[in-house]
Amino acid sequence: MDQLFRVGIIGAGHIAALMAETVHRMPDAHLYAIASRNLEKARAFQDKWGVEKAYGSYEELIQDPDVDLIYVATPHSHHYEQVRLCLLHDKAVLCEKTFTANKVQAEELMALARERKVFLGEAIWTRYMPFSKEIVRMVHSGELIGRPYMLTANLGYPIEDKERIRKPELCGGALLDLGVYPINLAFMIFGNAPERILSCCSKNELGVDLQNSMTFIYPGGEMAVMQTTARCVNDRMGVVSGDKGYLVIDNINNPQTVTVYDASHQQTGVYTCPPQITGYEYEVRAAIEAIRKGMIEPEDMPHAETLHIMELLDGLRREWGVTYPADRL
């Protein structure tokens, strides 16, 4: 039996707690270390989740020779420097979405990963979920909805007052925090090369987007129409429509149920997600498998795809006039 992978987590916030719960329950991984800028916070996290070691600085965890994989769970603005430090210490990294502040930073990190032959992956959980892949298969099977032509997708939470959302220095806004989910869904279903993009947003007083609307138009005539908001709750639903029917995804952020309808709006099937720990386990397993194979990127979210996403996000922000201190646009 392979040795348990010892996972270290940088950042001790909400997402880090979800990852801790996940790794704690995984049979093939060990919740080894937590690092926070505040040692008391790290120790509280350690006590709650049964982590083996707690560190009061990120550097201490990165320098621990026993860490096999580091999960970066800090604000987007911090990813570049923290991931870079991990790679310079030859530590495999799974970095929470959105990967970096911009494409330039992403390219530099990927070049460093190639140079040092160290694994680096983006933790956009929906790209790794088996049920997400099954949804794509259902869409293109031709049996359920015919040929797919239209995607509509929404995602929203009332989180505009959170510091990581409000502030440009933290790479805030709805796009990087929420917009990546419908964008990734569109890429999974229709591909990463729309020929035209229409978009608009509304911003807060600090200049970051709080609500946005995006439409991708593809060469074959397919369209993806998406809305995200950090100001209010919405249905989180996705609908993929074909010439013979449509399917409804209950939550594009972590799909649990897909309901299929025919052209007469009669329900023809309901498909449910298999039991999962939290949904985060799939990205961790993908990282472990890739590392054991000597790969520097995950199969489900290769570096080229992350760069496509980053380039798209940069272009949208440029159009909207949303800039971050980290930008070199």
Side-chain angles (χ1 to χ4, degrees):
M1 179 178 176
D2 291 319
Q3 180 181 350
L4 291 181
F5 249 67
R6 292 161 295 197
V7 178
I9 301 175
I10 287 180
H14 173 68
I15 299 298
L18 286 175
M19 181 56 77
E21 178 186 356
T22 305
V23 175
H24 184 71
R25 296 167 58 188
M26 290 180 66
D28 45 353
H30 172 56
L31 188 55
Y32 175 72
I34 178 66
S36 172
R37 291 171 297 180
N38 182 302
L39 183 56
E40 289 184 8
K41 187 173 183 180
R43 285 176 173 163
F45 192 101
Q46 178 186 30
D47 292 342
K48 181 174 182 179
W49 296 108
V51 188
E52 186 172 333
K53 292 189 176 182
Y55 292 112
S57 75
Y58 303 143
E59 291 79 11
E60 288 179 279
L61 186 150
I62 292 169
Q63 293 168 9
D64 186 325
D66 292 329
V67 176
D68 296 314
L69 173 66
I70 294 177
Y71 171 68
V72 175
T74 53
H76 312 130
S77 53
H78 293 46
H79 290 176
Y80 172 77
E81 289 296 340
Q82 291 164 355
V83 171
R84 183 174 180 275
L85 191 59
C86 290
L87 295 174
L88 288 173
H89 283 80
D90 296 323
K91 294 297 187 183
V93 186
L94 188 59
C95 181
E96 186 53 52
K97 61 83 194 166
T98 292
F99 190 67
T100 48
N102 51 50
K103 184 184 178 185
V104 169
Q105 289 185 344
E107 288 176 322
E108 291 181 7
L109 293 178
M110 290 169 185
L112 184 59
R114 287 193 300 272
E115 175 188 326
R116 302 190 71 89
K117 297 181 174 59
V118 179
F119 174 84
L120 173 62
E122 181 180 8
I124 171 75
W125 64 335
T126 52
R127 297 296 290 245
Y128 301 89
M129 293 174 176
F131 196 51
S132 293
K133 299 174 193 177
E134 177 62 14
I135 291 170
V136 175
R137 189 203 66 76
M138 288 191 289
V139 165
H140 291 288
S141 69
E143 302 169 1
L144 300 179
I145 64 170
R147 179 177 172 181
Y149 281 104
M150 174 74 78
L151 164 69
T152 59
N154 306 302
L155 189 64
Y157 303 95
I159 54 175
E160 65 173 307
D161 293 331
K162 291 186 178 293
E163 190 176 51
R164 65 180 171 82
I165 298 294
R166 293 189 68 252
K167 293 187 173 182
E169 59 266 35
L170 295 179
C171 300
L175 180 65
L176 266 61
D177 202 73
L178 303 172
V180 290
Y181 289 113
I183 289 171
N184 272 278
L185 180 60
F187 275 29
M188 290 178 77
I189 290 176
F190 291 138
N192 60 20
E195 65 178 5
R196 194 152 58 103
I197 296 174
L198 307 173
S199 72
C200 61
C201 81
S202 62
K203 296 184 276 190
N204 70 4
E205 74 282 2
L206 298 177
V208 300
D209 68 294
L210 292 181
Q211 300 195 115
N212 52 61
S213 175
M214 303 165 286
T215 298
F216 297 173
I217 303 167
Y218 286 85
E222 302 90 350
M223 293 179 65
V225 182
M226 299 158 285
Q227 298 179 51
T228 57
T229 174
R231 309 198 82 162
C232 55
V233 179
N234 68 18
D235 57 27
R236 304 185 303 180
M237 287 171 50
V239 180
V240 186
S241 302
D243 55 7
K244 295 181 181 178
Y246 57 96
L247 60 81
V248 179
I249 305 166
D250 71 315
N251 174 13
I252 65 168
N253 196 30
N254 184 9
Q256 297 298 301
T257 305
V258 172
T259 307
V260 182
Y261 299 87
D262 64 19
S264 300
H265 307 284
Q266 299 299 306
Q267 181 176 308
T268 59
V270 178
Y271 301 83
T272 57
C273 179
Q276 58 187 27
I277 298 174
T278 61
Y280 281 34
E281 62 267 33
Y282 306 114
E283 61 191 35
V284 178
R285 286 190 184 125
I288 291 172
E289 289 172 9
I291 293 166
R292 285 181 171 152
K293 292 177 182 176
M295 300 168 60
I296 65 165
E297 58 190 327
E299 293 181 354
D300 293 320
M301 192 62 180
H303 290 173
E305 187 75 345
T306 290
L307 290 178
H308 277 298
I309 297 288
M310 295 310 308
E311 183 174 21
L312 176 62
L313 299 178
D314 285 355
L316 289 168
R317 289 196 298 109
R318 190 180 299 114
E319 180 182 337
W320 300 343
V322 175
T323 60
Y324 304 137
D327 283 337
R328 282 174 274 174
L329 300 180

